[in-house]
Amino acid sequence: GGRAAISGVSGATRRLLPTLLAAGVASTLLIFILIIIHHQRFGGLMSMPKIVGPALADTAIPSDDGQQTLKPSSESQNVQGKKSDEEYSASQSLCTALVVPKGKRMVCLVEARLHKQKQTTEFAITSSLSRGCKPLMLVRVCEEQDPKPKIVLEQLPDGEQEKGEVFATVSTASLWAELFDSDTVFPLFDGSDSLFGHLRKTASDSYDLIAEMQGDESPVLTFFGDFSDHSIRVENTIDSRLVATVEACRSSAARDSYQVSIEAGVDAGLVLLGLLTIDKNECLPPSMDIAEQIGTSTSYLFRSFLGDPAGDELAQDDPAEDLAELDD
């Protein structure tokens, strides 16, 4: 009886052995196939090309390891139409390369150098105090000798270049031609010198920035606040969204400057050029006292009305005296 039982077990084992071997081979093949599929998927992801965003993506908030230069990018010119409406629209972008990337915020310092007097000067817009005030872009003002007075926002010179590539320009010609400030309109031009729109002061003492490509007179940005104290808010006029804030710097390390904070999806160049233009139209020369300011403004109006060519320029003070006052 025992031998019969052992013989039966051996027979059953011999019958199951081919089945077990087949199952083992199938399992091994399945594992091998899964390993190949996983390797192909992982390798495919690693080999995918990186997506490059606007030129400002790596320079909106400069790192602490060196100077950052903002450059117009040919790729960024093509990115503009592909962004969603939540980030920005093409009609609101004057400097596409300076649109603040999604998830970022640009904080920079602007010197309060511009005032209502013909000037020839240049200075850098820098990063914030906490990031070492590193130059980001250049402001160049050409009004005294240039037949087309203007404020230019441009890239920092690269290497031995005398000038960087132009981001955008605003004409100040109407400031010296118009009799009343309320009628003054400042045309804005892009880097290729094509008209983008204009900035104008409203009856409520705010400023509207209108994009000509909109096809109507609806503003895209509105600037309001205390312009002389640089306490300013900038809103997207279309949806009333706050896009930028401005506050005067109280620190002695950044005296006579103001800090601008610009939200994601906003054209930083458009906001900055608007603020510089408002400085030019609102701020009186710092060396003048109140009586001189009133007298100069009144004299300028009368000379303009009478057609006196001497009224085309305001009296200028000795720059050395201005520097001495700043150093006190």
Side-chain angles (χ1 to χ4, degrees):
R3 291 180 179 178
I6 293 172
S7 177
V9 172
S10 299
T13 302
R14 284 194 297 270
R15 287 192 298 270
L16 289 174
L17 186 58
T19 304
L20 294 174
L21 289 174
V25 172
S27 299
T28 303
L29 289 173
L30 179 61
I31 292 173
F32 183 71
I33 292 171
L34 291 175
I35 290 174
I36 292 175
I37 293 174
H38 177 73
H39 177 75
Q40 289 179 341
R41 288 184 176 179
F42 181 78
L45 289 174
M46 292 297 290
S47 62
M48 287 179 64
K50 294 182 179 179
I51 299 175
V52 180
L56 194 62
D58 296 328
T59 52
I61 303 179
S63 63
D64 293 326
D65 56 357
Q67 175 176 307
Q68 301 290 331
T69 302
L70 302 183
K71 299 182 179 181
S73 168
S74 58
E75 294 176 359
S76 66
Q77 303 297 327
N78 299 325
V79 171
Q80 181 176 342
K82 300 177 183 178
K83 293 289 183 178
S84 65
D85 292 338
E86 295 178 357
E87 294 185 46
Y88 61 89
S89 66
S91 62
Q92 293 174 255
S93 295
L94 173 62
C95 311
T96 314
L98 298 182
V99 173
V100 182
K102 186 176 182 180
K104 300 277 188 177
R105 184 178 63 172
M106 183 177 181
V107 180
C108 59
L109 293 179
V110 181
E111 292 186 56
R113 282 204 199 182
L114 304 189
H115 50 256
K116 190 176 288 186
Q117 189 175 48
K118 288 187 176 181
Q119 296 174 279
T120 300
T121 186
E122 64 179 45
F123 56 93
I125 293 176
T126 71
S127 59
S128 63
L129 283 169
S130 63
R131 293 187 175 270
C133 297
K134 298 180 179 66
L136 299 178
M137 63 191 86
L138 192 68
V139 177
R140 188 163 46 87
V141 184
C142 311
E143 293 181 302
E144 293 177 307
Q145 304 298 329
D146 200 307
K148 297 180 179 180
K150 57 184 174 289
I151 302 170
V152 183
L153 190 65
E154 63 184 38
Q155 169 195 339
L156 292 171
D158 187 8
E160 297 181 355
Q161 288 182 350
E162 184 177 347
K163 293 180 180 179
E165 188 171 345
V166 173
F167 287 126
T169 303
V170 59
S171 171
T172 61
S174 60
L175 183 61
W176 315 116
E178 298 290 347
L179 182 61
F180 300 106
D181 294 340
S182 58
D183 296 330
T184 304
V185 173
F186 300 92
L188 291 91
F189 303 88
D190 62 18
S192 61
D193 208 28
S194 298
L195 180 64
F196 170 83
H198 60 272
L199 183 76
R200 68 182 182 191
K201 192 172 185 178
T202 69
S204 59
D205 288 334
S206 62
Y207 281 83
D208 283 343
L209 201 154
I210 296 158
E212 296 287 344
M213 63 178 64
Q214 288 283 88
D216 55 30
E217 288 295 301
S218 300
V220 293
L221 291 180
T222 298
F223 300 74
F224 59 94
D226 187 339
F227 300 118
S228 61
D229 193 43
H230 292 106
S231 178
I232 305 170
R233 293 165 59 88
V234 185
E235 287 187 356
N236 183 319
T237 316
I238 298 173
D239 57 12
S240 300
R241 178 170 56 95
L242 182 66
V243 298
T245 58
V246 181
E247 59 180 350
C249 291
R250 308 302 179 188
S251 171
S252 58
R255 189 169 67 174
D256 298 327
S257 295
Y258 52 91
Q259 179 171 287
V260 185
S261 301
I262 306 172
E263 299 301 321
V266 179
D267 183 349
L270 189 59
V271 172
L272 292 171
L273 203 57
L275 292 171
L276 292 167
T277 307
I278 291 172
D279 280 351
K280 170 59 65 174
N281 195 44
E282 292 288 336
C283 300
L284 292 167
S287 59
M288 290 185 179
D289 59 25
I290 296 177
E292 287 177 321
Q293 292 172 6
I294 295 174
T296 300
S297 299
T298 304
S299 175
Y300 174 65
L301 290 176
F302 274 107
R303 287 199 300 267
S304 299
F305 179 75
L306 294 174
D308 185 353
D312 291 340
E313 293 190 14
L314 298 178
Q316 298 189 19
D317 295 280
D318 185 355
E321 294 180 1
D322 294 347
L323 292 175
E325 290 183 9
L326 291 175
D327 292 336
D328 289 341

